[in-house]
Amino acid sequence: EAQVTQNPRYLITVTGKKLTVTCSQNMNHEYMSWYRQDPGLGLRQIYYSMNVEVTDKGDVPEGYKVSRKEKRNFPLILESPSPNQTSLYFCATGQGLGNTIYFGEGSWLTVV
Amino acid sequence: SQQGEEDPQALSIQEGENATMNCSYKTSINNLQWYRQNSGRGLVHLILIRSNEREKHSGRLRVTLDTSKKSSSLLITASRAADTASYFCATDGTGYSTLTFGKGTMLLVSP
């Protein structure tokens, strides 16, 4: 079964405390991406990766880092979270943009 | 970056009625995808339509694409209460490496 797994699903953290949201897929997809969803703003892309060791900025990369050391994993790193990073985060994967893009269930992150 | 814009922002209908949602975008695209999102949940892929296609069907879903008008529509026929969700269109365009979403249409289907 095709799966995109994000962890944690829910997290409340404090300003400045580094955290990592993991994303793993079992479909051998080359393309992976992170989005955040905020009321009134829709889904905005943070970073994406076209393949292992290839990452690039999306529309709202400030305050985030990513890495793609393995094909199946694409962690999102918040080095010093701030309250404006409180959001619902989605990981997405696909075999290139010309194909179906699959989304994880989302990670609710609250920074206080 | 380009963006799809859904219309209407919200739609309320009765079970059994058809629901039509529209999406407009700004620049040339390769593909357009429609997604459904139940409240606070992940996005579920519905249909992908390519720029050289005009219409696709999947069950009770019908998607059309008019590249000359830079618009797409999603029709849900014989709607059910379980269709209550937000619906998003997403585009990827020539030269872009990103899937860009509109802000969605909230559909409420009342029993």
Side-chain angles (χ1 to χ4, degrees), chain B residues 26-111:
Chain B
K26 297 175 184 173
T27 60
S28 297
I29 62 170
N30 288 327
N31 308 284
L32 187 145
Q33 306 191 45
W34 282 93
Y35 289 84
R36 184 186 75 230
Q37 184 183 30
N38 292 88
S39 180
R41 302 293 301 277
L43 283 84
V44 175
H45 183 263
L46 297 176
I47 288 183
L48 180 153
I49 187 165
R50 304 194 187 282
S51 60
N52 62 353
E53 297 176 312
R54 291 297 166 258
E55 187 171 313
K56 285 189 85 169
H57 297 257
S58 177
R60 293 183 297 111
L61 307 180
R62 172 178 167 250
V63 168
T64 62
L65 179 64
D66 187 334
T67 53
S68 67
K69 295 181 179 178
K70 294 186 172 58
S71 68
S72 174
S73 67
L74 170 66
L75 168 67
I76 304 174
T77 59
S79 63
R80 306 166 181 167
D83 295 327
T84 294
S86 291
Y87 292 82
F88 296 88
C89 68
T91 57
D92 69 84
T94 305
Y96 287 92
S97 299
T98 181
L99 193 64
T100 305
F101 284 81
K103 294 180 181 175
T105 292
M106 290 182 60
L107 174 66
L108 173 64
V109 182
S110 302

Side-chain angles (χ1 to χ4, degrees), chain A residues 11-74:
Chain A
L11 179 65
I12 300 173
T13 190
V14 296
T15 298
K17 184 177 181 181
K18 179 179 178 180
L19 70 92
T20 299
V21 186
T22 63
C23 175
S24 179
Q25 49 103 354
N26 65 353
M27 294 170 277
N28 201 36
H29 285 163
E30 293 181 345
Y31 174 85
M32 297 187 75
S33 183
W34 277 101
Y35 288 82
R36 60 178 289 175
Q37 185 177 29
D38 302 287
L41 297 175
L43 284 102
R44 295 177 293 167
Q45 189 178 54
I46 304 171
Y47 269 94
Y48 64 94
S49 170
M50 303 299 279
N51 213 327
V52 175
E53 302 291 2
V54 180
T55 63
D56 212 340
K57 296 177 180 178
D59 296 322
V60 288
E62 295 78 21
Y64 304 94
K65 286 175 58 177
V66 292
S67 68
R68 188 88 181 274
K69 292 183 169 53
E70 307 167 278
K71 201 170 191 179
R72 63 180 290 129
N73 296 320
F74 190 45

